[in-house]
Amino acid sequence: MAPSHALKCCHRALNWVPVLFINLVVGWSYYAYVVELCVYTITNNAERISYLIIFHIFFAMFIWSYWKTIGSRPAGPSKAFSLPRAEKELYEREERAETQHEILKKVARNLPVYTFTAGKAVRYCNHCQIIKPDRCHHCSTCEMCVLKMDHHCPWVNNCVGFSNYKYFVLFLAYASLYCVVICSTVIQYFIKFWTKQLPDTSAKFHILFLFFVAALFLICNLSLLSYHMWLVGNNRTTIEAFRAPVFTNGPDKKGFSLGFSRNAAEVFGDQAKYWMIPVFSSQGDGHSFGTRLVHIDPKQANSVPQQNGKSPADGKADPCVLGNNIQHTADDSKEETDGGRTVSVTMESEP
């Protein structure tokens, strides 16, 4: 037990190495820009002050969003998705997969679960012993099921999912802008040092290297940011981009797409003043999501407790639960009954 515990502690410590590396690079870039460039190289006070003001604005937003991504604990499913005690005992005693599936199917009827495994079985996590909500996946590194899991990112040593996906996208955006500011203001001094228009000083190495590093990180960040903005626009996670979620009528990568504006609002919120600030403004509770294929019954969604353990009362729908469950209308629609529950399936083209 002791060696196993020691290995686990060493593994957790090693997971922080990429984060430490990023912080060392950022710390050095701050020194190189502020001290070596602005203090020792730039002689014009107006230019120096304007550079420092612009630099610190983007530096602050970059660090803020980066540490919000790191520090936001991944959101896990509520207790409503755990098997009741009686069903759990039956499930654990049962050896036949078909009977186990029937037990899970019976419990899932009371939950807003509309996606399944490739074999059309209820998605169940044996590690966490819960029925997985839609878009939820188990992370072996975090050792938990994560709501709307996108991926586990080693550069933030955290799972990127419902609780911090907005912070992650803003981190990529502000990291790119941070690099743009550095490249655009350093380039003239980079050229002067390179062509020997300025004397060789201790600042030369820092400024030359700073431009190369900022340009390299800019290319990497822009490619990653472009990909995640495409995911946001199509309302997909990285996992769903590679493996389509399976609905009653089969796999559909566009199943959660509600049109660009609604897709973006699901991540950034519906109030523009919060879009570019690293504060939580995403819609919903992470357990149920709007879809162009399924309209979730409000009574069923109301039965699912929130993360804080509270449930809507008096039969009124909680906007946090139903904020994403937008009912769509079309000329051609039909009703399907799946194991005792009715879902409205809308036949429509992608908005």
Side-chain angles (χ1 to χ4, degrees):
M1 293 294 292
S4 177
H5 179 71
L7 287 173
K8 186 174 289 188
C9 290
C10 290
H11 185 261
R12 289 177 179 174
L14 288 173
N15 287 338
W16 286 101
V17 171
V19 177
L20 178 62
F21 172 75
I22 291 295
N23 280 275
L24 288 175
V25 172
V26 172
W28 166 79
S29 70
Y30 183 89
Y31 166 80
Y33 192 92
V34 174
V35 179
E36 298 293 344
L37 176 67
C38 293
V39 176
Y40 293 152
T41 305
I42 298 176
T43 56
N44 185 288
N45 284 331
E47 182 182 7
R48 178 188 294 125
I49 293 172
S50 61
Y51 280 12
L52 285 172
I53 291 173
I54 296 172
F55 174 82
H56 279 93
I57 290 173
F58 288 101
F59 176 78
M61 297 304 294
F62 163 49
I63 294 298
W64 186 8
S65 56
Y66 180 56
W67 280 98
K68 285 288 284 186
T69 308
I70 295 174
S72 298
R73 177 177 170 78
S78 69
K79 293 181 179 179
F81 289 84
S82 300
L83 293 179
R85 185 173 180 178
E87 281 75 8
K88 184 178 180 181
E89 291 177 353
L90 286 173
Y91 182 85
E92 291 175 346
R93 288 201 305 264
E94 186 57 55
E95 296 181 357
R96 292 172 297 179
E98 296 81 4
T99 307
Q100 287 182 329
H101 172 63
E102 289 301 321
I103 294 172
L104 295 178
K105 189 176 180 181
K106 178 182 177 182
V107 177
R109 288 172 183 169
N110 299 319
L111 298 170
V113 176
Y114 295 95
T115 57
F116 309 92
T117 66
K120 295 298 181 69
V122 175
R123 299 169 65 244
Y124 182 76
C125 179
N126 288 304
H127 297 282
C128 302
Q129 297 184 327
I130 60 165
I131 292 175
K132 295 179 183 179
D134 293 342
R135 315 184 84 174
C136 175
H137 299 274
H138 185 85
C139 176
S140 57
T141 305
C142 295
E143 299 180 343
M144 64 176 291
C145 282
V146 179
L147 295 179
K148 197 186 178 183
M149 180 178 173
D150 187 89
H151 70 288
H152 185 91
C153 180
W155 300 109
V156 299
N157 190 29
N158 200 2
C159 249
V160 177
F162 175 76
S163 64
N164 62 354
Y165 188 64
K166 176 190 173 183
Y167 306 147
F168 179 75
V169 175
L170 289 180
F171 152 59
L172 294 177
Y174 284 119
S176 299
L177 291 173
Y178 178 68
C179 293
V180 167
V181 168
I182 291 176
C183 289
S184 60
T185 54
V186 167
I187 187 168
Q188 61 172 315
Y189 295 96
F190 170 86
I191 295 173
K192 288 179 180 179
F193 275 117
W194 190 267
T195 57
K196 300 187 183 300
Q197 296 179 40
L198 289 175
D200 289 348
T201 62
S202 61
K204 179 178 180 178
F205 165 79
H206 291 283
I207 291 176
L208 292 178
F209 198 54
L210 179 62
F211 180 81
F212 280 121
V213 172
L216 178 62
F217 273 81
L218 177 60
I219 295 171
C220 296
N221 281 326
L222 280 179
S223 60
L224 194 56
L225 175 63
S226 300
Y227 175 67
H228 279 279
M229 289 307 297
W230 177 81
L231 290 177
V232 170
N234 289 277
N235 205 340
R236 297 181 201 173
T237 63
T238 299
I239 294 175
E240 292 165 354
F242 288 93
R243 185 173 66 243
V246 180
F247 295 87
T248 304
N249 57 336
D252 190 342
K253 285 187 177 182
K254 299 179 180 180
F256 291 109
S257 181
L258 306 173
F260 180 81
S261 59
R262 289 172 177 169
N263 294 342
E266 189 171 295
V267 175
F268 295 100
D270 53 6
Q271 298 187 53
K273 61 182 179 180
Y274 295 122
W275 288 351
M276 300 306 294
I277 304 176
V279 296
F280 187 83
S281 60
S282 301
Q283 294 180 343
D285 66 345
H287 293 88
S288 58
F289 299 89
T291 167
R292 65 193 187 93
L293 301 176
V294 177
H295 170 59
I296 301 176
D297 183 7
K299 293 182 180 179
Q300 185 180 20
N302 276 345
S303 67
V304 182
Q306 300 297 293
Q307 285 291 92
N308 59 11
K310 296 180 181 179
S311 299
D314 302 326
K316 296 180 180 179
D318 191 324
C320 292
V321 182
L322 301 177
N324 291 349
N325 302 332
I326 305 167
Q327 185 174 7
H328 301 276
T329 58
D331 294 334
D332 300 321
S333 62
K334 62 180 179 179
E335 295 291 325
E336 290 187 6
T337 303
D338 179 18
R341 65 180 178 183
T342 301
V343 297
S344 174
V345 181
T346 304
M347 310 301 292
E348 59 178 21
S349 59
E350 176 70 2

